[in-house]
């Protein structure tokens, strides 16, 4: 009965989230026969049962290969997916073996829930909480956790944990909102290049402050070259 409950919930998710689905019998037929996301997750419910409950070898992987050819969506038989799952359009979606997806999650085309290596001894794919939205082309990689009610922007590359109620955007994905409030740029993670530039700028400022202090005291100032010239590194002043 659990499988049928999940399929019913997936059907309602498709009807609720896809504005192109009409009401009535026509809408029912379009979801059941013409919606790749619903077809893929419905097939996965049965394939997952064959793989995890009955431990049938080879066959679940073979059926999932047929489903990928049929729908353009690849879901590993071992992936754990909660009820109310919806994939819009679906082309190019990949969900890895140890991925865990919560309830009422929405994915768009080109999304990857993948790994960063070929380890076999531990979890290597992401975990998504409930009510997570993932935009087109986003890549969520590694054994990280995306908190419930979070939104991942299109084409984001997410390699670190995301807290609940967060909004994540950018190729180098960064958190821009938590609980609906913007995150200040000062608290956002810096890239190594930005961090190096800031350190060098601080060294420059410290050098010139020391020169001014010595001038105020009347000390003799040696002709020491400036820090940035000595290191021959361009500092990006903002």
């Amino acid at each position: 009965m659990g499988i049928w409950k999940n399929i019913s919930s997936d059907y309602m998710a498709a009807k609720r989230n896809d504005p192109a689905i009409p009401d009535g019998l026509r809408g029912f037929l379009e979801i059941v026969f013409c919606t790749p996301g619903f077809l893929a997750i419905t097939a996965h419910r049965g394939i997952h049962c064959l793989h995890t409950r009955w431990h049938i070898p080879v066959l679940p992987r073979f059926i999932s290969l047929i489903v990928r050819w049929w729908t353009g969506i690849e879901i590993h038989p071992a992936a754990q997916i909660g009820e109310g799952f919806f994939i819009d359009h679906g082309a190019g979606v990949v969900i890895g073996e140890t991925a865990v997806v919560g309830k009422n999650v929405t994915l768009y085309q080109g999304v990857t829930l993948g790994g960063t290596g070929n380890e076999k001894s531990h979890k290597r794919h992401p975990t998504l909480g409930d009510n997570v939205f993932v935009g087109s082309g986003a890549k969520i990689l590694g054994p990280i956790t995306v908190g419930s009610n979070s939104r991942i922007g299109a084409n984001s590359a997410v390699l670190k944990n995301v807290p609940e109620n967060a909004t994540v955007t950018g190729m180098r994905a960064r958190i821009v909102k938590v609980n609906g409030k913007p995150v200040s740029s000062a608290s956002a993670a810096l890239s190594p290049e930005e961090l190096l530039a800031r350190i060098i700028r601080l060294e420059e400022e410290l050098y010139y402050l020391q020169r001014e202090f010595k001038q105020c005291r009347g000390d003799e100032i040696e002709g020491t070259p400036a820090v940035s010239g000595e290191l021959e590194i361009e500092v990006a002043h903002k």
Side-chain angles (χ1 to χ4, degrees), residues 100-166:
V100 178
V101 179
K103 299 178 181 178
N104 302 316
V105 170
T106 298
L107 309 183
Y108 274 74
Q109 67 271 17
V111 169
T112 299
L113 306 183
T116 56
N118 58 359
E119 302 88 351
K120 296 183 178 180
S121 60
H122 61 274
K123 191 178 189 305
R124 61 187 187 279
H125 297 101
T127 296
L128 274 57
D130 298 338
N131 307 307
V132 171
F133 173 92
V134 185
S136 305
K139 312 300 177 187
I140 306 175
L141 306 176
I144 63 175
T145 299
V146 177
S148 297
N149 306 307
S150 293
R151 300 176 67 85
I152 309 300
N155 297 315
S156 296
V158 184
L159 302 174
K160 296 181 180 180
N161 291 337
V162 176
E164 294 184 355
N165 306 308

Side-chain angles (χ1 to χ4, degrees), residues 41 44-45 48 52 75-83 85 95-103 113 123 126-128:
I41 186 58
H44 174 74
R45 301 294 185 194
H48 181 73
T52 60
I75 307 176
H76 192 282
Q80 302 177 44
I81 300 178
E83 63 185 47
F85 184 64
I95 301 177
E97 177 184 9
T98 60
V100 178
V101 179
K103 299 178 181 178
L113 306 183
K123 191 178 189 305
T127 296
L128 274 57

Side-chain angles (χ1 to χ4, degrees), residues 39-75:
L39 295 172
I41 186 58
T42 300
H44 174 74
R45 301 294 185 194
I47 294 170
H48 181 73
C49 184
L50 293 177
H51 180 79
T52 60
R53 185 178 301 178
W54 295 342
H55 304 288
I56 296 176
V58 183
L59 181 61
R61 292 296 302 272
F62 179 73
I63 299 175
S64 67
L65 185 65
I66 295 174
V67 174
R68 184 183 70 172
W69 169 79
W70 184 23
T71 64
I73 298 168
E74 180 175 347
I75 307 176

Side-chain angles (χ1 to χ4, degrees), residues 210-222:
Q210 287 176 337
R211 285 176 61 92
E212 287 187 25
F213 180 69
K214 288 180 180 180
Q215 286 177 343
C216 290
R217 293 196 312 178
D219 294 344
E220 185 177 348
I221 301 174
E222 298 178 358

